[in-house]
C-alpha cells in the first residue's frame, strides 16, 4: 500500500505548482523545439513559393452562407464581377435581395437561397440542387450567432448556438465536400473566431462551437488534401457586424473581405485578421489553467459591467 501511494505521488505534481511547471515546460519546448521548427518552416514556405509559384484557378461559382449581412455580404460584394455566379444563402430573403442587387450591379449573377441552416434536410436539398446546376468552386461557411447573454439567458441558448454554429456549419460543408471530393477540385473556407482560442464564461456556447470548428477544419484539411480540395480557416477578430452591434470602433467587414480574398487565392490555411487580436487571444489560450480561470473570470466581470448584464 505504501509503494502504491509513492508511485501515485511520483506521477503527479502538487496542484499549487501546476502553473509554474506548465509555464517552465512551455518555455523550454517553445524555445528549443517550436522556435527552430517555426524558423525552418518560414524559410521552407518562402522558398517553395518562389520555386513553385503555384497559381490556383479563380473560383467562378461561390456559395456563401450568412450572406445577408456582415462578413458574408462583404465577401459576396468583394467577389462580385462579370463572370462570377454567387449563391447567397440566409434566412432573410429581403436582405439577401439587397445584397444580390449590389452584386448584380457589379456584373455578378446571383441566386437567392432563403433557408435555415438548422433545418438540415432542407439545407442538404437546396445545396445539392444549387450544386447540380452550378458546380461550386468555393464554399464560404460563414453563418453563425453569438449567443452571448446574461446568465438569465445563458443556460437557455446552448441548443440554438450549437445547432447553427457547429451542426449547421458541418451540415453545410459535408454535402458540398463530398461532391468536390468526387470532382477532385474545390475550396472550402470555414468562419471561426478569436473566441475559439479563449473566451469569457458568458460566451461558453459561442467559444465552444468555434473551438470545435477549428478542430473540424484542421482535420478536414488533412483528409481533403488527398482529393485536391483546399480547406481554409478564417479566424476573424472584432469585425463591425450585427453580431457586435456594428461597433464603429471595430474593423469594417469590407477590409476583412479583401484580406480574405487575397489569402484564399494564396491558399493560406489559417487566415487571421486582424493579426494582433489573434495573437493576443492565442497567448491567452496558452496560459496555465489556474491563471486562465483568473483572467477569464475578470474578463467576464468587465463585460457584464460594461453591458449591464448583472
Amino acid at each position: 500500500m505504501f509503494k502504491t501511494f509513492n508511485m501515485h505521488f511520483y506521477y503527479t505534481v502538487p496542484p499549487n505548482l501546476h502553473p509554474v511547471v506548465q509555464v517552465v515546460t512551455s518555455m523550454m519546448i517553445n524555445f528549443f523545439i517550436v522556435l527552430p521548427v517555426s524558423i525552418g518552416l518560414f524559410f521552407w514556405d518562402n522558398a517553395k513559393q518562389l520555386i513553385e509559384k503555384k497559381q490556383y484557378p479563380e473560383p467562378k461559382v461561390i456559395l456563401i452562407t450568412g450572406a445577408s449581412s456582415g462578413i458574408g455580404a462583404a465577401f459576396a460584394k468583394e467577389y462580385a464581377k462579370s463572370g462570377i455566379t454567387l449563391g447567397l444563402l440566409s434566412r432573410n430573403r429581403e436582405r439577401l435581395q439587397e445584397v444580390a442587387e449590389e452584386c448584380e450591379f457589379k456584373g455578378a449573377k446571383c441566386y437567392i437561397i432563403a433557408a435555415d441552416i438548422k433545418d438540415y434536410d432542407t439545407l442538404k436539398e437546396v445545396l445539392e440542387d444549387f450544386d447540380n446546376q452550378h458546380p461550386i468552386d468555393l464554399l464560404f461557411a460563414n453563418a453563425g450567432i453569438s449567443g452571448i447573454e446574461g446568465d438569465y439567458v445563458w443556460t437557455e441558448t446552448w441548443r440554438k448556438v450549437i445547432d447553427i454554429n457547429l451542426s449547421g456549419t458541418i451540415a453545410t460543408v459535408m454535402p458540398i465536400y463530398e461532391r468536390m471530393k468526387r470532382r477532385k477540385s474545390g475550396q472550402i473556407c470555414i468562419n471561426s473566431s478569436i473566441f475559439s482560442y479563449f473566451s469569457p464564461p458568458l460566451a461558453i456556447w459561442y467559444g465552444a462551437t468555434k473551438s470545435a470548428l477549428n478542430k473540424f477544419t484542421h482535420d478536414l484539411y488533412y483528409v481533403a488534401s488527398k482529393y485536391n480540395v483546399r480547406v481554409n480557416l478564417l479566424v476573424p477578430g472584432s469585425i463591425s457586424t450585427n453580431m457586435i452591434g456594428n461597433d464603429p470602433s471595430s474593423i469594417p467587414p469590407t477590409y476583412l473581405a479583401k484580406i480574405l480574398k487575397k489569402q484564399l487565392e494564396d491558399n493560406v490555411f489559417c487566415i487571421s485578421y486582424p493579426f494582433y487580436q489573434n495573437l493576443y487571444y492565442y497567448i491567452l489560450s496558452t496560459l496555465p489553467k489556474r491563471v486562465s480561470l483568473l483572467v477569464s473570470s475578470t474578463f467576464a466581470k468587465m463585460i457584464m459591467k460594461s453591458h449591464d448584464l448583472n
Side-chain angles (χ1 to χ4, degrees):
M1 185 174 178
F2 180 72
K3 289 183 178 179
T4 302
F5 173 78
N6 279 345
M7 183 171 289
H8 288 168
F9 184 78
Y10 176 78
Y11 283 117
T12 191
V13 173
N16 291 342
L17 282 177
H18 283 187
V20 177
V21 173
Q22 287 170 340
V23 168
V24 172
T25 304
S26 179
M27 288 173 60
M28 292 177 64
I29 291 174
N30 280 326
F31 186 78
F32 291 107
I33 299 176
V34 178
L35 181 59
V37 170
S38 298
I39 293 172
L41 286 173
F42 168 78
F43 287 108
W44 171 263
D45 289 342
N46 279 279
K48 193 175 179 182
Q49 285 180 359
L50 289 172
I51 295 169
E52 292 184 353
K53 293 182 179 179
K54 192 166 184 179
Q55 295 289 324
Y56 296 98
E58 181 184 37
K60 298 297 184 184
V61 181
I62 304 165
L63 190 137
I64 306 161
T65 65
S68 61
S69 64
I71 296 173
F75 187 78
K77 295 169 190 176
E78 181 64 30
Y79 271 92
K81 67 177 184 179
S82 180
I84 299 295
T85 299
L86 296 172
L88 307 175
L89 191 151
S90 177
R91 290 176 299 170
N92 193 318
R93 182 179 291 275
E94 290 182 5
R95 287 197 298 188
L96 281 178
Q97 185 62 50
E98 293 174 5
V99 176
E101 287 173 2
E102 290 189 53
C103 293
E104 287 170 346
F105 181 77
K106 293 184 174 184
K109 190 173 184 179
C110 296
Y111 292 88
I112 292 175
I113 307 170
D116 186 347
I117 67 169
K118 298 196 306 297
D119 185 349
Y120 309 134
D121 292 334
T122 301
L123 177 66
K124 185 173 186 291
E125 183 180 330
V126 297
L127 289 173
E128 291 180 344
D129 183 58
F130 181 83
D131 190 71
N132 286 337
Q133 300 176 58
H134 313 281
I136 297 169
D137 299 314
L138 170 60
L139 169 66
F140 183 29
N142 166 70
I145 60 172
S146 70
I148 301 174
E149 302 282 358
D151 55 10
Y152 59 96
V153 179
W154 181 80
T155 55
E156 305 298 324
T157 59
W158 66 272
R159 186 181 297 278
K160 185 178 180 181
V161 179
I162 291 172
D163 285 350
I164 293 175
N165 291 5
L166 181 58
S167 302
T169 299
I170 294 173
T172 299
V173 168
M174 293 313 297
I176 302 305
Y177 165 67
E178 290 297 333
R179 287 167 171 247
M180 289 181 173
K181 175 180 169 182
R182 291 196 294 268
R183 293 194 290 262
K184 292 193 175 349
S185 69
Q187 186 171 21
I188 298 169
C189 179
I190 296 172
N191 190 4
S192 180
S193 167
I194 53 173
F195 272 18
S196 64
Y197 297 136
F198 181 92
S199 62
L202 294 181
I204 178 173
W205 311 126
Y206 184 75
T209 54
K210 294 301 185 177
S211 294
L213 283 182
N214 281 12
K215 179 61 177 172
F216 169 70
T217 309
H218 184 277
D219 291 356
L220 184 64
Y221 172 88
Y222 170 76
V223 173
S225 63
K226 296 182 284 188
Y227 303 100
N228 197 38
V229 176
R230 289 171 286 146
V231 175
N232 312 89
L233 176 68
L234 171 63
V235 187
S238 181
I239 308 298
S240 182
T241 65
N242 293 338
M243 189 177 291
I244 62 169
N246 292 305
D247 183 356
S249 66
S250 298
I251 306 293
T254 51
Y255 290 4
L256 172 62
K258 293 182 186 297
I259 296 291
L260 178 56
K261 184 174 185 286
K262 177 64 174 67
Q263 296 198 17
L264 285 177
E265 290 171 356
D266 295 338
N267 197 33
V268 175
F269 169 66
C270 186
I271 302 169
S272 307
Y273 184 81
F275 181 72
Y276 73 90
Q277 291 182 5
N278 272 260
L279 182 61
Y280 172 69
Y281 277 81
Y282 171 76
I283 291 170
L284 289 177
S285 75
T286 65
L287 295 175
K289 292 302 180 188
R290 180 66 186 88
V291 180
S292 178
L293 284 172
L294 175 63
V295 174
S296 182
S297 299
T298 304
F299 197 4
K301 290 174 183 176
M302 291 170 59
I303 291 176
M304 290 179 70
K305 185 176 181 180
S306 64
H307 292 277
D308 193 25
L309 293 175
N310 286 301

